[in-house]
Amino acid sequence: MPTLSVFMDVPLAHKLEGSLLKTYKQDDCPHKMFLAYRVCMTNEGHPWVSLVVQKTRLQISQDPSLDYEYLPTMGLKSFIQASLELLFGKHSQAIVENRVAGVHTVGDSGAFQLGVQFLRAWHKDARIVYIISSQKELHGLVFQDMGFTVCEYSIWDPKKLCVDPDILLNVVESKQIFPFFDIPCQGLYTGDLEEDTRILQYFVSQGFEFFCSQSLSKNFGIYDEGVGILVVVAVNNQQLLGVLSQLKGLAEALWLNPPNTGARIITSILCNPALLAEWKQSLKEVVENIMLTKEKVKEKLRLLGTPGSWGHITEQSGTHGYLGLNSQQVEYLVRKKHIYIPKNSQINFSCINANNINYITEGINEAVLLSEGSEICLPKEKKP
Amino acid sequence: MPTLSVFMDVPLAHKLEGSLLKTYKQDDCPHKMFLAYRVCMTNEGHPWVSLVVQKTRLQISQDPSLDYEYLPTMGLKSFIQASLELLFGKHSQAIVENRVAGVHTVGDSGAFQLGVQFLRAWHKDARIVYIISSQKELHGLVFQDMGFTVCEYSIWDPKKLCVDPDILLNVVESKQIFPFFDIPCQGLYTGDLEEDTRILQYFVSQGFEFFCSQSLSKNFGIYDEGVGILVVVAVNNQQLLGVLSQLKGLAEALWLNPPNTGARIITSILCNPALLAEWKQSLKEVVENIMLTKEKVKEKLRLLGTPGSWGHITEQSGTHGYLGLNSQQVEYLVRKKHIYIPKNSQINFSCINANNINYITEGINEAVLLSEGSEICLPKEKKP
């Protein structure tokens, strides 16, 4: 009988530094709140689910003609096709030219894992990854674990108080970077499915090759099923087939068969015009609701007389947006008000609702007033 | 605009040599048949599904109290607990002593991927993997891809026409091997859930540490959802916690959240005495049906006057069993009769049904008669 553990040398893993959610969970304050959830929240504070999903789920479970057999390693074909058409448009030149394809993955994390494994094996010269700063904790670690050097890159201009996508384009073009896009919630940005993937259309039109992680979890509200696709765009079909064959080998080792339930629900919706229309309508309603919340936040800050211009709040699209606070102000909100927001002040506006909007805007007001005051106390920097 | 593909150097992946299923699929012969499916098949030739699963699935889809939020990275707690109790028994000493735990994975492939990643990182001296031969194609490749040397090991004694588990025990004990078990379909071996994991109880009682891939897909008939667990048994709780914390980091990078649907169905069944009894009964019926098939095969061969003793067919438990044919006989069945069976002649007896049993037994009879004949024609080997 063995006496020593073979796991003797295995230490407790280091906890992630700066995991905001973890700190939030450990906070005992009864009025704590977390404004950085990845997913869209309802006014009641629950993850949003499109109503058409519930209906379709029930319908599927009552269909005796369906089987529950293993999906092929590359996934549910009809799901991939419908999702690619959603991403690029039905008449996309790249689809017509057979140079775009997708591998059905276990969520967007699975898509990144698969894509990064491929890049490590077949793109060996590339060792540096430039990543949008807000994504580092989520996906940057996957690159880091595989030996890439991850550099953070911000597209938020804190002086102009706006997002500058040109920064991204210039980098990709000048540094010959291989783009790996993340489309986490198409339709929940502007409420318009086509508008939300305009950047992809641009790169396709310019003949770029790229990977893209497409998540269908958040824009349908199927969080527990990992509905993702690793999208591959190549210059031609021959190159595409080579990449796909290698990806298949990697996916076989990773999970062999991707999960079916979420993909089946989504395919049923995307391929049925009536259900599709219902889903699109539900996206629009969510986005309108978020815009309304942003308007309210801006108006509350105006009424409180909070110093500064807050127009940038309503100028940004999507669930997530920058508040435009500095690190001192963010720290005040987290430490003193128990309002958990990331250092770059990019919050999920759908976390704000009628129950917490007053507390949040008053907190922002206090934070700004206090830091304004402390700035006055500091000696001004000399200009050169 | 880029002109050259960044994927230029990516070749088409080599196809797996000896993939029996691939050859079968490419065969145009109308009466071809495949007797090596991993899962239990019905008499109609479809993957088996326990009836209680369908009922529970419907019930779950109609339950408005359920949410569809992300599962924690380690998975659905109630699912893991119920599955571990199924594997080790409710009153298992290891469970009581808090030195066994599980990580909810994307199927058994995911469990192997996770376990192998851990072993590569934390068990660096171990470079050689001994694997039961029939599992090589499925799981051995995961070890191989990660740089392990994989040696095949057979527990089938072709002379005595029986499986000899002592071979396995002796190897593990003498070579200080870290055991990584595969329990792909508990209950479908003998029909008795406890009996089917007796080997695990033995290793636990001897104080061994081990990993085990537990699949719940095949014994419930939920194939498309990847319901797996990587089970960890350590000598004490402290070692266990270290291992779990490292596994969590690996699972975060792999898929972040495991899929829920299958796990939810299984938990509902395992935690409800009436549903549990129904499920157990369905397993018994399957196993009885397989035993009946084996009896019929043996009887048909007897009636055909096939040379040899065929008692070993009914002496083996489970869906899969060795026919006890040599490579020449197997080749005859594959090439001439289009009956696809693996080289070691281990077939899935649930693939045999009223429609194909005559063709299969006649094929076996021919193969044996022909090789008997050819042996007579060959000059006998000189004994030393």
Side-chain angles (χ1 to χ4, degrees), chain B residues 166-185:
Chain B
D166 284 344
I167 298 176
L168 188 69
L169 286 177
N170 294 340
V171 172
V172 173
E173 283 175 344
S174 69
K175 297 203 178 181
Q176 293 200 299
I177 280 176
F178 178 74
F180 197 145
F181 292 102
D182 184 21
I183 303 287
C185 44

Side-chain angles (χ1 to χ4, degrees), chain B residues 22 74 84 109 111 124 172 195 220 247 252 274:
Chain B
K22 203 168 272 173
M74 300 299 261
L84 290 178
S109 297
K124 283 190 177 134
V172 173
E195 181 66 29
F220 282 88
L247 287 173
E252 275 170 355

Side-chain angles (χ1 to χ4, degrees), chain A residues 333-352:
Chain A
L333 287 176
V334 175
R335 299 236 173 158
K336 301 287 177 192
K337 309 302 287 181
H338 305 269
I339 300 172
Y340 287 79
I341 69 175
K343 277 181 190 156
N344 62 9
S345 85
Q346 194 193 26
I347 66 159
N348 180 347
F349 277 92
S350 73
C351 298
I352 301 179

Side-chain angles (χ1 to χ4, degrees), chain A residues 98-99 118 209 211 232-246, chain B residues 3-12:
Chain A
N98 259 326
R99 57 188 186 85
F118 176 90
E209 292 180 310
F211 280 177
V232 183
V233 177
V235 289
N236 59 43
N237 182 255
Q238 193 197 338
Q239 304 294 352
L240 183 71
L241 293 180
V243 176
L244 288 178
S245 73
Q246 300 293 345
Chain B
T3 47
L4 284 176
S5 173
V6 293
F7 304 128
M8 267 178 69
D9 300 328
V10 182
L12 273 174

Side-chain angles (χ1 to χ4, degrees), chain A residues 11 23 62 89 102 127 139 148 154 167 190 208 271:
Chain A
T23 324
Q62 290 168 331
R127 304 308 310 164
H139 303 307
F148 288 93
S154 181
I167 299 177
T190 64
F208 276 97
C271 296

Side-chain angles (χ1 to χ4, degrees), chain A residues 128-264:
Chain A
I128 297 174
V129 173
Y130 293 89
I131 196 160
I132 304 299
S133 55
S134 58
Q135 297 286 308
K136 189 177 173 194
E137 206 171 271
L138 203 56
H139 303 307
L141 289 174
V142 178
F143 285 94
Q144 220 164 278
D145 285 351
M146 296 235 199
F148 288 93
T149 304
V150 178
C151 304
E152 289 187 58
Y153 223 90
S154 181
I155 54 169
W156 171 250
D157 185 328
K159 283 186 187 150
K160 292 187 201 155
L161 290 172
C162 69
V163 163
D164 185 357
D166 283 344
I167 299 177
L168 188 70
L169 286 176
N170 294 340
V171 173
V172 173
E173 283 175 344
S174 68
K175 297 205 177 180
Q176 293 199 300
I177 280 177
F178 177 75
F180 198 143
F181 293 102
D182 183 21
I183 303 287
C185 44
Q186 186 183 359
L188 286 179
Y189 193 63
T190 64
D192 178 331
L193 288 158
E194 275 183 49
E195 182 65 29
D196 280 7
T197 57
R198 190 154 285 183
I199 192 161
L200 294 188
Q201 326 302 348
Y202 172 79
F203 274 81
V204 166
S205 72
Q206 296 295 303
F208 276 97
E209 292 180 310
F210 59 84
F211 280 177
C212 174
S213 156
Q214 180 184 17
S215 168
L216 285 303
S217 287
K218 298 172 199 73
N219 51 2
F220 282 87
I222 305 173
Y223 307 103
D224 64 341
E225 276 302 312
V227 214
I229 291 181
L230 175 65
V231 177
V232 183
V233 177
V235 289
N236 59 43
N237 182 255
Q238 193 197 338
Q239 304 294 352
L240 183 71
L241 293 180
V243 176
L244 288 178
S245 73
Q246 300 293 345
L247 288 173
K248 189 181 173 196
L250 295 171
E252 275 169 355
L254 278 171
W255 44 68
L256 195 58
N257 320 97
N260 194 6
T261 306
R264 184 172 258 170

Side-chain angles (χ1 to χ4, degrees), chain B residues 302-320:
Chain B
R302 194 186 67 77
L303 291 172
L304 288 165
T306 316
S309 141
W310 299 94
H312 58 278
I313 290 182
T314 47
E315 281 154 17
Q316 298 170 75
S317 299
T319 49
H320 288 68

